[in-house]
């Protein structure tokens, strides 16, 4: 089966969150099981730099509306996955993040930039394509490629089936009515069972409406988003499409995230030789300027600093947490007000709390290895990757029972399977109680070893998810 992945992020070159990780790892896992998967991604500067010899293979033209004629270049990722780089420098050769300009505001032409990506994905899946490789399935991800499903729906002739994977319902890709024309969509698309969403054009809705099947990244999230409380305006549509909607839990890249081989660490370790973990803790405390205390539990956060992640709740209880006593390290970036509050907290409690604002992959690894307990109090969490990294690094996570967190973390109350701490309501009281429970359990070495053992033994590889995707491709 031939599958085209269409994505706006691709780890390790371009990543703002989980989507980049998934696009960077799942294709190789599918290829290992015999699928012919290729990845379409914009030729951002980081990709052009990584693949300077990428060879031009096509120029998709007559794409409609105001869409330009880009070039398609082909390259081979180190893991053997063929990449199709969508080269149109005027759109993609820009500094910073794929979506935001230097001042942190969305690029004004994002509808055209990701409309072009979607349109080219549909072109590749249609009779118009000039390539000798034609996908059976176009697999789109999040709003940035949601429109591909709509284009495929309106294109004439033989075309690929479409699968839309939802990584986060909060990002809906909303643009004004005029973009319908600019994107070359027919007037007929402007209706309630088309791409129109409360007076806007929504790329996300286009995907949910028109894809032949929809998946999201955990079974719990697939259920939650069909409720009015958590459906962010799309619940009705999602219920309508329930028969074609399923949840497939993400895996993690178990080569990159492996404490036994991780070259970012001060010392590697594994489930049967955990001494290295203590050494990583000491070196992390030193690196971040914390007091070197083996006798205090070290809590950690690596996250986007947003309300979704519940870090305002953690901020509110942090002074009590530090008084347990405990230490806390935070690595993240996001909302300016939250960055500011976290930095202020760290300044007040220098020996106990260290906050690093920024995106730092290597430090994220050292934190997973050096910390004792990971905190992820998300209000909603489609899947979440960090709790899985934490399990694998012997750093039991404290999580709220939502989405993928509920599907991966088992509370310590279950002695046979417990691998972390789970709390229910998104309140400071419930969070603090769970953090206290974790700190108490940490002081009981035998109990703690068991929790770590359960977490480290969990199979988080992509192979399981890949088999589920293949089954779905087959049905399509
Ligand atoms: P989301 O996609 O909602 O941001 P996930 O947990 O699914 O959350 O994935 C986040 C990914 O981004 C993880 O790989 C995590 O380690 C990484 N990450 C988030 N913030 C940072 C940061 N400040 N520095 C390094 N890595 C980060």
């Amino acid at each position: 089966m031939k599958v085209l992945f269409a994505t706006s992020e691709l780890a390790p070159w371009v990543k703002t969150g989980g989507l980049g990780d998934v696009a960077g790892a799942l294709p190789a896992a599918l290829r290992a099981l015999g699928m012919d998967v290729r990845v379409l991604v914009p030729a951002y500067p980081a990709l052009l730099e990584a693949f300077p010899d990428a060879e031009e293979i096509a120029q998709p033209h007559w794409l409609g509306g105001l869409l330009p004629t880009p070039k398609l270049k082909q390259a081979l990722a180190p893991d053997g996955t063929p990449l199709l780089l969508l080269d149109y420098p005027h759109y993609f050769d820009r500094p910073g993040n794929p979506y935001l300009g230097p001042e942190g505001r969305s690029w004004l032409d994002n509808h055209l930039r990701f409309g072009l990506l979607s349109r080219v994905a549909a072109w590749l899946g249609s009779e118009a394509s000039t390539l000798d490789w034609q996908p059976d399935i176009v697999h789109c991800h999040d709003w940035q490629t949601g429109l591909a499903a709509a284009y495929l729906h309106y294109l004439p002739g033989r075309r690929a089936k479409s699968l839309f994977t939802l990584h986060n319902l909060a990002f809906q890709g909303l643009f004004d009515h005029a973009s319908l024309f600019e994107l070359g969509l027919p007037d007929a698309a402007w209706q309630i069972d088309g791409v129109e969403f409360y007076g806007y054009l929504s790329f996300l809705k286009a995907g949910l409406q028109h894809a032949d099947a929809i998946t999201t990244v955990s079974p719990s999230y697939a259920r939650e988003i069909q409720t009015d409380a958590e459906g962010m305006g799309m619940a009705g549509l999602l219920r309508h499409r329930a028969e074609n909607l399923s949840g497939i839990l993400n895996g993690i890249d178990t080569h990159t995230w492996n404490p036994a081989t991780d070259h970012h660490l001060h010392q590697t370790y594994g489930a049967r030789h955990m001494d290295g973990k203590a050494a990583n803790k000491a070196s992390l405390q030193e690196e971040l300027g914390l007091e070197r205390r083996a006798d205090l539990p070290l809590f950690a956060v690596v996250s986007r600093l947003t309300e979704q992640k519940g870090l305002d709740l953690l901020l509110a209880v942090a002074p009590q947490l530090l008084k347990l006593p405990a230490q806390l390290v935070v690595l993240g970036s996001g909302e300016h007000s939250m960055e500011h509050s976290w930095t202020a907290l760290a300044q007040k409690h220098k020996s106990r709390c260290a906050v690093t604002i920024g995106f730092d992959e290597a430090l994220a690894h050292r934190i997973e290895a050096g910390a004792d307990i990971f905190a992820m109090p998300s209000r909603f969490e489609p899947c979440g990757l960090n709790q899985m990294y934490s399990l694998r690094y012997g750093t039991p996570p404290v999580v709220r029972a939502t989405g993928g967190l509920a599907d991966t973390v088992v509370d310590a109350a279950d002695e046979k399977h417990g691998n972390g701490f789970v709390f229910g309501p998104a309140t400071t009281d419930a969070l603090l109680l769970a953090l206290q429970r974790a700190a108490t359990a940490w002081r009981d070495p035998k109990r703690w070893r068991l929790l770590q053992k359960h977490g480290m033994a969990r199979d988080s590889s992509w192979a399981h998810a890949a088999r589920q995707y293949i089954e779905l491709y087959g049905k399509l």
Side-chain angles (χ1 to χ4, degrees), residues 399-410:
V399 305
R400 199 173 93 70
T402 181
L405 299 176
D407 292 342
T408 49
V409 181
V410 182

Side-chain angles (χ1 to χ4, degrees), residues 401-437:
T402 181
L405 299 176
D407 292 342
T408 49
V409 181
V410 182
D411 191 84
D414 179 340
E415 280 179 23
K416 266 211 180 119
H417 306 101
N419 58 19
F421 301 85
V422 183
F423 67 98
T427 61
T428 48
D429 286 351
L431 169 60
L432 186 61
L433 197 68
L435 295 168
Q436 285 165 335
R437 280 204 297 133

Side-chain angles (χ1 to χ4, degrees), residues 15-19 21 168 257 302-304 308-309 331-333 358-361 364 376 381 383-387 389:
K15 155 175 158 182
T16 71
L19 167 62
D21 285 314
N168 195 329
W257 292 95
V302 178
S303 180
R304 290 186 288 122
Q308 177 201 331
K309 301 291 180 180
L331 166 63
S333 59
F359 196 98
D360 186 338
E361 185 84 27
M376 223 165 149
E381 193 60 76
C383 177
L385 296 171
N386 270 305
Q387 83 281 13
Y389 302 154

